[in-house]
Structures are given as structure tokens and as C-alpha cells.
Amino acid sequence: GKPITVGLLPPFPFYWASYVAEEHGFFKEQGLSVETIQLSRPSEAVQALVGGSLNFTQVSADAYINAIEAGAKIAIVGQTIGDPSFSVVVQPEYKSWRDIKGKSVAISAPKDGAAIVFRLMAKANGLGDGDFNFLPVGTTPNRYAALKNRSADLAILLPPFDFLAVADGFRLLARSDSVLPRYAFIMIGTNTAWAQSHRDEVKGYLTAIARATDWLYNPANRNAALDAIAKKMPKISREHHGKIYS
């Protein structure tokens, strides 16, 4: 197949459709041979896209927008995840937004999607930017680790790590859908120069992801879908993955 390189962050349910497309032959069906490169942060993924070492990435919309506003020759060509439910999870001793004033919040980076969402949630609960300290640690698994080792007082998490945190005794303070019901989140980006000369690959990649997404939404594929995510995230229980699928 035609070779393409795709940058993804560490294994996460965001990329379920990509895992399915690879395992169940949707990329191959489109004549593509996909090499996946794992990256640590959205900014790193976008830099690689700008530099041309990657053909596609799937990261949060804000990372692309920041780069495009700075003049980067990249484009957003699709969305894989919209309207996510971020959870603010705190150490057990904190019971209200008032209790976390002046505390440290684990996020990826001060301008990333999680930080943006947290600011909105904090504002809705009477806190301003000066009322908390951001602790940039990386993606959701890193944020959960910061919560567990108490280097952070609270963290903004995505499933299944918010489920795990509550099961471990941490307190769920709020969910983002209370203040942000609509949110463009994980997007597919590409290098515009490469895309203009590889239109078939762009069409094929987007088609494969779309077909894998349709496959995921078919309830008949539930068990196979859980098998696919379990291979990528074996330390997370099937029960927690099942909650996400539902």
C-alpha cells in the first residue's frame, strides 16, 4: 500500500477508530500502509507535522489553531472526537471549588484544551486565573499519576482515568459538560504541501477512519471493539473500557 506516517499520542480511547482501522483492515482496504509514530504532547505532534516528518496527526484542535495562527502551513481536515466530558478530580480532602483556591492543577500545557476547559469551569465557579497554579505534566495518564503521587492537588482527566481515580478514592468535583456542552476536540491535521500532492492518500485515510468509526458504532461489534482497545491499553479493565464504549 501507499505509505503514510501518522502521529498519535500515547494509547488512549481517542484513537479507538485508528486502532480498529489498522486491526480490521480499513487502511489496507484504502490501499494504505500506515506507520504510527507515538509522540508525547500535542505541540510535539504539530511541530512534526509542520516539519514534514508526519503526514497526519490526531491531537486537540487548539494545538493546530495556535500553530496556524503563527503561520504554520497545516490544515485541519477532520474530527474524530467532539464534545468530550472532562472531569475535575481532586484530592479526597477537598470538597468544593472554594477548597482548591491556590492549589496546583495537573494539565498538559497552559494553552492546551484541558487548560482551556478548566479555566471555563473555574470561572463558572467563581475562580479566576490567579486562583490556581497550572502544573504541566502531559496527557491524561500523566495527570492521573500526578494526582496519585500528590504532586498535584487536582487534575483534569478524561475517561477511563476519571473512573479509575474515583475508584481509588479521589473526589469528582465537576464535569465539563455542565459549562461546555459543545466542544471540537480531537482533530485530524495534515501538512498542506504534502496533502496537495497526495490527494488520494488524504481521501483514503479519512475514508478509513470514517468506516472504522461506523464499525465502532455498530453494537454488534462491541466485544471486538473492546478487544481492540485492550490490546493498546492492557492495564485498564474491560469494565472501564466498556463504560466508555457505552
Side-chain angles (χ1 to χ4, degrees):
K2 296 177 180 177
I4 62 172
T5 56
V6 179
L8 303 180
L9 299 181
F12 208 76
F14 294 156
Y15 303 127
W16 214 328
S18 293
Y19 304 151
V20 165
E22 185 66 41
E23 180 165 333
H24 290 272
F26 293 106
F27 289 139
K28 188 175 181 181
E29 190 179 81
Q30 297 299 314
L32 300 176
S33 175
V34 176
E35 178 187 8
T36 300
I37 308 296
Q38 182 175 304
L39 303 165
S40 60
R41 295 175 185 267
S43 57
E44 180 187 1
V46 172
Q47 286 167 6
L49 195 66
V50 172
S53 59
L54 294 174
N55 304 135
F56 297 99
T57 56
Q58 292 185 34
V59 295
S60 53
D62 52 274
Y64 297 119
I65 292 167
N66 289 336
I68 291 168
E69 287 183 342
K73 303 302 182 184
I74 60 176
I76 296 172
V77 292
Q79 174 177 284
T80 57
I81 303 290
D83 310 330
S85 181
F86 288 91
S87 295
V88 174
V89 181
V90 303
Q91 297 292 348
E93 62 267 28
Y94 303 132
K95 296 180 171 59
S96 70
W97 284 90
R98 185 170 53 253
D99 293 340
I100 64 170
K101 188 172 182 178
K103 305 302 182 183
S104 59
V105 187
I107 45 92
S108 292
K111 293 184 178 180
D112 79 344
I116 293 167
V117 172
F118 180 81
R119 283 191 180 96
L120 289 171
M121 296 175 74
K123 183 178 180 181
N125 286 279
L127 298 182
D129 282 359
D131 291 331
F132 46 84
N133 304 303
F134 278 147
L135 183 67
V137 297
T139 55
T140 291
N142 302 68
R143 302 199 289 267
Y144 180 44
L147 195 67
K148 289 210 297 185
N149 66 28
R150 297 193 71 91
S151 59
D153 296 300
L154 60 152
I156 187 158
L157 305 177
L158 286 157
F161 289 90
D162 52 353
F163 304 149
L164 294 174
V166 170
D168 283 345
F170 296 97
R171 187 184 301 276
L172 173 64
L173 188 62
R175 293 192 185 277
S176 62
D177 49 14
S178 62
V179 298
L180 194 67
R182 305 294 296 173
Y183 184 67
F185 189 39
I186 301 298
M187 316 296 279
I188 300 172
T190 189
N191 179 294
T192 51
W194 179 86
Q196 285 167 0
S197 59
H198 294 82
R199 292 179 180 272
D200 287 346
E201 286 91 330
V202 173
K203 181 180 178 182
Y205 183 73
L206 294 177
T207 299
I209 294 294
R211 290 187 176 175
T213 301
D214 288 342
W215 183 95
L216 272 173
Y217 274 92
N218 183 342
N221 296 323
R222 185 180 193 276
N223 284 333
L226 295 179
D227 290 341
I229 194 71
K231 291 177 183 177
K232 298 293 184 179
M233 302 180 70
K235 293 182 179 180
I236 305 298
S237 74
R238 194 175 184 89
E239 176 189 0
H240 286 315
H241 286 313
K243 288 180 182 178
I244 299 171
Y245 185 89
S246 298

